[in-house]
Amino acid sequence: KAGVTQTPRYLIKTRGQQVTLSCSPISGHRSVSWYQQTPGQGLQFLFEYFSETQRNKGNFPGRFSGRQFSNSRSEMNVSTLELGDSALYLCASSLAGQAFNYGYTFGSGTRLTVV
Amino acid sequence: KNEVEQSPQNLTAQEGEFITINCSYSVGISALHWLQQHPGGGIVSLFMLSSGKKKHGRLIATINIQEKHSSLHITASHPRDSAVYICAGSMYSGGGADGLTFGKGTHLIIQP
């Protein structure tokens, strides 16, 4: 079955612009979580969506937002880009049932460069 | 202080050696994940543990809930095992999984 698909793979934006990244989870997975990876901070949790609702959010400014659609696809948006937003953005999908922890399947990531 | 600590940060070994990477966590977690990341960024989930031990091929992961400690072992290491290994804890708060808290990763190089 198809894996987690992230688009685009690479993106170059200018400071002050905004960007939208997309993540299509594995069919049947209802949870999508987003992560930022930088050389200095490593991997950090951004937010998690389940059934179109944001259930949890990491310690990031309000410029970072997201949403999930009824087909479980998710988008994240970063407004007013800063140089420090340059990073690899990863999403992961999970079954995320109510009573159990399920494993995560990661996408290949979107590498965002802000210039 | 990071809630998930890994050691060592860097590890270089010879092909065939037995490798151990350690992970300690300071908060209650519902599961501990071991991830592998190769150059280029792709992350593969290796194990998810809530107790005991799991084995897949040459990889073994263990967790001690009382001591809040997990280890990843690689037997008969091979140059293709060279990657960054990351442990991460997931929390469960009744509403479902709450995302992952990551260690800084262990950069493993296996020399032929």
Side-chain angles (χ1 to χ4, degrees), chain A residues 9 35 37 40-45 48 55-56 88 90 96-104 106-108 111, chain B residues 30-31 33 35 37 40-45 48 86 90-92 94-104:
Chain A
R9 288 296 309 276
Y35 306 89
Q37 186 177 35
Q41 298 297 320
L43 275 160
Q44 294 181 281
F45 170 69
E48 191 243 356
R55 290 199 299 197
N56 203 4
L88 179 67
L90 290 152
Q98 287 291 320
F100 301 99
N101 264 296
Y102 289 89
Y104 292 81
F106 285 81
S108 299
R111 188 165 295 281
Chain B
S30 50
H33 301 255
L35 311 171
Q37 187 173 33
I43 290 181
V44 174
S45 179
M48 184 180 70
I86 303 166
S90 59
M91 321 296 171
Y92 171 65
D98 287 336
L100 296 169
T101 300
F102 298 90
K104 296 290 187 187

Side-chain angles (χ1 to χ4, degrees), chain A residues 7 12 16 20 24 34 46 55 61-62 96 104 109 114:
Chain A
T7 56
I12 300 175
T20 299
S24 293
W34 288 89
L46 278 158
R55 290 199 299 197
Y104 292 81
V114 182

Side-chain angles (χ1 to χ4, degrees), chain A residues 7-74:
Chain A
T7 56
R9 288 296 309 276
Y10 302 92
L11 204 49
I12 300 175
K13 289 286 189 178
T14 305
R15 267 183 304 176
Q17 287 187 312
Q18 75 164 16
V19 67
T20 299
L21 312 182
S22 177
C23 175
S24 293
I26 287 175
S27 177
H29 283 194
R30 296 168 64 193
S31 168
V32 174
S33 48
W34 288 89
Y35 306 89
Q36 182 197 63
Q37 186 177 35
T38 60
Q41 298 297 320
L43 275 160
Q44 294 181 281
F45 170 69
L46 278 158
F47 27 65
E48 191 243 356
Y49 287 88
F50 180 79
S51 291
E52 302 179 64
T53 301
Q54 185 183 92
R55 290 199 299 197
N56 203 4
K57 191 176 195 298
N59 190 24
F60 279 82
R63 299 185 298 106
F64 291 82
S65 64
R67 59 178 175 168
Q68 187 179 34
F69 302 94
S70 58
N71 62 358
S72 293
R73 189 178 73 84
S74 177

Side-chain angles (χ1 to χ4, degrees), chain B residues 79-95:
Chain B
R80 65 174 173 266
D81 297 326
S82 299
V84 177
Y85 292 84
I86 303 166
C87 74
S90 59
M91 321 296 171
Y92 171 65
S93 61

Side-chain angles (χ1 to χ4, degrees), chain B residues 67-88:
Chain B
E67 295 185 5
K68 292 188 168 61
H69 181 269
S70 177
S71 294
L72 176 68
H73 305 286
I74 305 175
T75 62
S77 58
H78 189 275
R80 65 174 173 266
D81 297 326
S82 299
V84 177
Y85 292 84
I86 303 166
C87 74

